[in-house]
Amino acid sequence: MIPKPFPDGDRGYLQPPLYLDRPGYLHYLYQNEKGQSLFCVYRFPVGSGKKMFQCSYANGKYHKKNYWSSIEDFKLPLLRLPELIKTELPILITEGEGKCDKAQQLLPDYFTACYSMGGSSFGKTDFSVLKGRDVILWPDADKNLNGTDSFESLSLVLKEEYGIEAKTVPTPTYQEIQSYFKGK
């Protein structure tokens, strides 16, 4: 299937069976530089965790799959790309849309963004819009250090492929955080 941007003004991506008007159900539109929505990431609670999936538009309807990520050599946009292009603020890249939202609330002197699918899946993302910008990477504090490892790899890719010297927030490990709170 060949994806197309979402039709202008159409909100079919929010219709049942998703029921995205429930508490805790969130969605994030990834747009191109023209502001056209290419795909949507959905996040909703399941027990004590979360579940996520993506959708795109192809053949006249929405599909529970991101067909853009299947196109060879197509680079996915960063979240909030149209606003990112316009801002003069330093760019803070987080792991995941929820953390991006929270960081934006807490750190208004930065512009926060993220790439879709999280973790080490940054290879399908177009980071060229970050050239010449002040970029800071803030990894997750995972039990298995996946966030830190992924963002260290991302830092190298940004330097080698895009000439971007990104700084990384020194994040304590999950074990360090647990140890800190046990001592309190």
Side-chain angles (χ1 to χ4, degrees):
M1 294 222 194
I2 299 175
K4 303 240 183 259
F6 292 7
D8 287 341
D10 182 40
R11 296 178 54 86
Y13 61 94
L14 296 175
Q15 301 306 311
L18 302 176
Y19 303 104
L20 293 172
D21 58 345
R22 295 180 183 170
Y25 283 52
L26 302 170
H27 69 281
Y28 303 90
L29 292 172
Y30 281 78
Q31 300 174 318
N32 63 19
E33 64 282 344
K34 298 175 188 173
Q36 297 171 304
S37 298
L38 300 183
F39 61 96
C40 188
V41 172
Y42 302 92
R43 180 178 189 251
F44 52 97
V46 175
S48 62
K50 66 181 178 189
K51 187 170 182 172
M52 300 182 80
F53 69 90
Q54 299 184 20
C55 93
S56 57
Y57 187 82
N59 292 3
K61 64 180 186 174
Y62 294 96
H63 299 269
K64 196 174 173 181
K65 179 177 179 174
N66 183 350
Y67 283 110
W68 294 98
S69 63
S70 303
I71 298 174
E72 190 175 335
D73 297 328
F74 180 81
K75 294 290 191 173
L76 301 171
L78 291 165
L79 183 66
R80 304 175 61 212
L81 178 63
E83 297 91 356
L84 186 153
I85 292 169
K86 295 175 188 173
T87 188
E88 299 287 326
L89 294 172
I91 310 300
L92 177 65
I93 303 292
T94 64
E95 188 177 341
E97 295 85 5
K99 291 172 194 82
C100 181
D101 281 352
K102 194 62 168 175
Q104 190 63 72
Q105 291 172 1
L106 296 171
L107 304 166
D109 293 337
Y110 294 86
F111 182 89
T112 62
C114 68
Y115 53 92
S116 68
M117 301 183 279
S120 60
S121 63
F122 53 80
K124 287 286 290 180
T125 303
D126 180 6
F127 292 101
S128 64
V129 297
L130 300 177
K131 286 181 183 178
R133 306 295 296 267
D134 185 11
V135 178
I136 302 161
L137 306 176
W138 193 344
D140 283 359
D142 298 323
K143 285 184 185 180
N144 55 12
L145 299 179
N146 283 348
T148 301
D149 291 347
S150 293
F151 273 46
E152 285 176 5
S153 297
L154 174 56
S155 180
L156 292 172
V157 167
L158 290 175
K159 184 175 181 171
E160 292 171 5
E161 292 185 24
Y162 298 96
I164 298 167
E165 296 277 346
K167 301 171 199 82
T168 304
V169 173
T171 307
T173 66
Y174 179 82
Q175 290 76 14
E176 289 170 335
I177 294 169
Q178 291 295 314
S179 177
Y180 173 80
F181 284 106
K182 285 180 184 174
K184 292 280 179 184

